[in-house]
Every structure is written in structure tokens, then in C-alpha cells.
Amino acid sequence: MRVNIEINGERHTADDVWPGESLLYVLRERLGLPGSKNACEQGECGSCTVYLDDTPVCACLVAAGQAEGRSVRTVEGLGTEDELDPVQEAFVRTGAVQCGFCTPGLIVAAHELVHRSPDATDAEIREALAGNLCRCTGYEKILDAVRLAAKGVQR
Amino acid sequence: MKAATPEAVPIAGGTDVMVELNFDKRRPPALLDLGRVAELSGWRTDDGHVRLGATVPYARIVGELGDLLPGLAMAARTVGSPQIRNRGGVGGNLGSASPAGDAHPPLLATGATVELASVRGVRTVPADEFFLGPKRSVLAADELVTAVTVPSAAGPQQFAKVGTRNAMVIAVCSFGLALDTGTRRVGTGIGSAGPTPLRAAAAEDFAAEVLPWDDPPALTDEVAREFGELVAAAATPIDDVRGSAAYRRRALSVLARRTLRWAWQDVRVR
Ligand SMILES: Cc1cc2nc3c(=O)[nH]c(=O)nc-3n(C[C@H](O)[C@H](O)[C@H](O)COP(=O)(O)OP(=O)(O)OC[C@H]3O[C@@H](n4cnc5c(N)ncnc54)[C@H](O)[C@@H]3O)c2cc1C
Ligand code: FES
Ligand code: FES
């Protein structure tokens, strides 16, 4: 089947898609958008987190056909190479990126949180990021990054 | 719709279906995207009940139904992660019919009914008659779950679950409790401690009988303990990787005791 999806503000079309393949596969393998990472394919790690119509979801658990006609925003759509999104900037500044595999999904989840609730408590931050695993950082620096990004949004 | 392509697999939030497809456990010829069916994606109140569409995601149950369906909202809050709660819902939980599904105990405890529809017509099944065994239910191949109808809370409700960590856990065992201070009934639902979710009928009758509804004093230890033991006795747990049968019974009696105390505390302050 053919799937039409608006991704990061642009219309994209993929052909010969099997309806049961995941949105993550379509993004990475068919549309050349490797920002969203593929680690577990079972909703456990959050490294594939994208916005689907403004809601953060695991792209590995969305069937390609379910994304037809909808709008998706990936980490590639948050900033540009010259001008990072403030959440990305905060991750870099606080050293919240080590191997970086978890980062794209965490950035999308954190982006949603700081825009929805810029004065989130630490408990709320942990809750909002509970679906994103990181093997490297031990999460403290990630919390720092989210706090810093939230300050930027409040201002 | 389902009748036209009986081999099509319904997909709602995809949080169970896609795991199977990604791991090639299933390769259906077609998927039926229920997310596009508007009638399934909302809820409304109706004569003391909430009719909750099959595809309303857990995040909306938490955000919108905390007052009307507190037990289900508490259970919804414990499901997976924010990303999972943004997609998954009660229709898919019932479709998978796992004994560990977190929506099930509150549905049993509140006496909810499940609405099933096919070209043959619509039927409603009490939630405690819906499950037949692990991952098996009365849902026929050509049927869809369209909604659950849950009585609006008429008293305190609780949900508690034992897992190995705070987020993203499948319940080792879980317990839902609903008190109806009007009709003086007590409803229970046990999760993950038997081939299906279970009610603890003897515990319900015991509590309804002995609770001092008229002038609620504090709950006595004996009542709480007896209630916990009757709940544990209703379970038929097995040993598996998540816990032993004996541990599950013990944990259930603690959950039941604790939730009854919390709920009774609410009765007293009301
Ligand atoms: C990381 C992760 C964590 C999880 N944590 C929990 C948890 O804590 N507690 C819990 O209970 N579950 C958990 N789950 C399982 C899953 O999220 C739930 O079972 C959820 O309720 C499924 O809903 P869904 O809409 O995503 O279902 P889907 O995956 O879309 O469907 C599930 C099944 O039901 C069928 N189906 C769906 N809708 C209908 C319908 N209307 N009529 C008939 N059949 C239908 C499908 O064909 C499929 O067989 C978790 C899953 C993941 C991936
Ligand atoms: S790859 Fe999607 S959650 Fe891990
Ligand atoms: S930085 Fe390596 S997994 Fe998070």
C-alpha cells in the first residue's frame, strides 16, 4: 500500500508498504529519517519516541497504515543543524548525552513535557520519562537537562 | 466490517499487536485500524453509568475519568509508560485478555459490562463472564469490543498492584476494590493470580455484611485481616518467573487489606 504522512511539516509518501510494518521502519528504512532509534521494537525503551499528532508515542508500536494522513514530528523536526532546539541545547550543555542512542527519544519526550508543564517537579519529570531507558548516564544529567530546558521555556 | 474480512486483525493502540508483528509472531493479511472508528473513541455518561469506547487511551481515562471511574483511572495510571498510555486502552486490554491486564480488576470490582458487536448484532457480557482462560475470552472471531459500560462510582474505589519496580511492570498480582455506600455492596477484582481475572465473592459478601456502614468507625484489624484472607483464598495463582503462587497469595491478602483500609478511610471522611 501507499502511505502518506506529514513529517516535520512536509508531505512524504512511501510505496509498497506492508500495512503491519511499523512507523519506525517507514521513517528509518523507507524515508531516510534515522533520527528515531530502533532498539527493542517492543515499547520498552522509548528510543523511537516521536510525536503523532502532538502526542508522544513509540513509533515501533504504530502500524504504518495507522499513520496514514496524520502528522508526525521526529527529533529531526525539532531543531536545525545551525540552531538546536532549546531542549537539545540543554542536553548538550549538561552532558546528558553519552553514547547518544537514547537521546532522540528522550529529547522528544522531554520536549513534550517542558512545553506541557514547564514547572514540572522532579517526580513529574521522572514520571514523564519513565518510558525512556538510558544505559549510560544514570539519569541524573538527564534530569539536569530537563530542568535547564524547562527554565528556558518558562522565560 | 469485521465480518467482511474475518482474518483481519483489529488494531487499536497497537501496544500488544505491534509487539507480535515486530517479532513475526503473527503475519495477518490485513489490519483493521479501529483508531479511525469515531464511535469507539469517546465516552459519555448515561443513566448512572459511563459508556467508555473501546479505543479511549489510558491517558484520557486518567485525565478525564478520575472522578467518575476512580478505580479504573488508578489502574490506567499504572499501565506501562506515558507513551504506552497515550496509545493503549481498555478494548485492547480485553482483546488480549491477559490475566495480568490492569483494566480488568476495576471492571470486575465495579460490575462493568462489555459490549460486543458483529453483523449478527450487539450483546453485552458481564466483565466477570468475559474471560475464559489465559488470553481466551468469549469474544468471537467476527466480533469487536465496542465499549465497556461501568457504573459511575458510588463510593470509594482503590487499585493496587505489586510489581518489581515502579514503571513499566506487568503485575505480579493486582487488586481492585469498589465500595458502594448506597447499596452497601463491596466489589472486588483480582489480577494476575489465576487463569483469568477473578472476583472474590466470599470476601465481597463478608465485607458487605460486617462493615459498619451506618456510623463508620475505624476498620478493625480482624475485619481487614479476614477480608484479606478471603481474597487470597479466591485466587488460584501459579508459580512463574514473576513470582511464586505462595508469594502471590500472601501479596494479595496484603493488597486487599490495605485497599480496604484506604477505602474505608474515605468512607469515614465523606
Ligand atoms: C512496554 C509495554 C508495557 C505495558 N504495560 C502494561 C501494563 O502495565 N498493564 C497492562 O495491563 N498492559 C500493559 N501492556 C500491554 C498493553 O499495553 C495493554 O494490553 C493495552 O491495553 C492494549 O491496548 P491496545 O489498544 O494497544 O491494543 P492492541 O495492541 O491494538 O490490541 C490488543 C489485542 O486486542 C485486539 N483488539 C484490540 N481492540 C479490540 C476491539 N475493540 N475488539 C476486539 N479486539 C480488539 C487486537 O486484535 C489484539 O489482539 C504493556 C505493553 C507494552 C508494550
Ligand atoms: S524501539 Fe520502540 S520502544 Fe524501543
Ligand atoms: S546515553 Fe547511552 S543509552 Fe543513554
Side-chain angles (χ1 to χ4, degrees), chain B residues 35-269:
Chain B
R36 310 221 174 240
V37 185
E39 301 92 281
L40 305 183
S41 67
W43 63 268
R44 59 181 155 79
T45 51
D46 193 5
D47 193 23
H49 290 73
V50 175
R51 187 179 181 283
L52 175 68
T55 64
V56 176
Y58 293 116
R60 283 188 56 200
I61 297 174
V62 173
E64 299 167 24
L65 288 168
D67 289 334
L68 288 168
L69 308 180
L72 186 62
M74 282 179 196
R77 198 172 291 128
T78 74
V79 172
S81 64
Q83 289 93 326
I84 301 298
R85 293 194 291 276
N86 283 339
R87 296 288 293 161
V90 174
N93 216 215
L94 289 167
S96 293
S98 158
D102 285 322
H104 311 329
L107 294 181
L108 295 192
T110 52
T113 56
V114 183
E115 184 184 286
L116 305 173
S118 68
V119 286
R120 293 171 290 129
V122 177
R123 59 177 178 139
T124 55
V125 179
D128 64 348
E129 292 169 22
F130 178 80
F131 303 97
L132 297 178
K135 314 217 162 168
R136 286 194 309 118
S137 71
V138 300
L139 185 71
D142 66 344
E143 273 181 323
L144 290 175
V145 176
T146 40
V148 290
T149 299
V150 192
S152 304
Q157 300 187 349
Q158 284 293 336
F159 175 82
K161 123 178 174 186
V162 175
T164 43
R165 60 188 173 116
N166 278 329
M168 305 281 269
V169 286
I170 304 177
V172 175
C173 63
S174 61
F175 184 67
L177 176 70
L179 302 189
D180 185 331
T181 50
T183 61
R184 302 185 168 187
R185 277 209 303 259
V186 176
T188 59
I190 298 172
S192 232
T196 66
L198 298 163
R199 279 177 55 194
E204 293 178 358
D205 293 344
F206 165 76
E209 176 72 32
V210 305
L211 285 173
W213 300 94
D214 278 321
D215 176 23
L219 198 63
T220 63
D221 286 345
E222 294 87 84
V223 169
R225 193 173 333 109
E226 177 73 13
F227 181 71
E229 275 161 23
L230 287 169
V231 167
T236 53
I238 52 166
D239 294 316
D240 72 11
V241 288
R242 280 177 280 132
S244 70
Y247 171 72
R248 283 195 160 98
R249 274 227 170 76
R250 167 104 191 88
L252 261 179
S253 74
V254 173
L255 291 185
R257 221 159 57 202
R258 212 179 270 164
T259 51
L260 186 63
R261 275 188 200 292
W262 291 335
W264 196 251
Q265 189 59 35
D266 283 353
V267 172
R268 294 180 70 210
V269 300

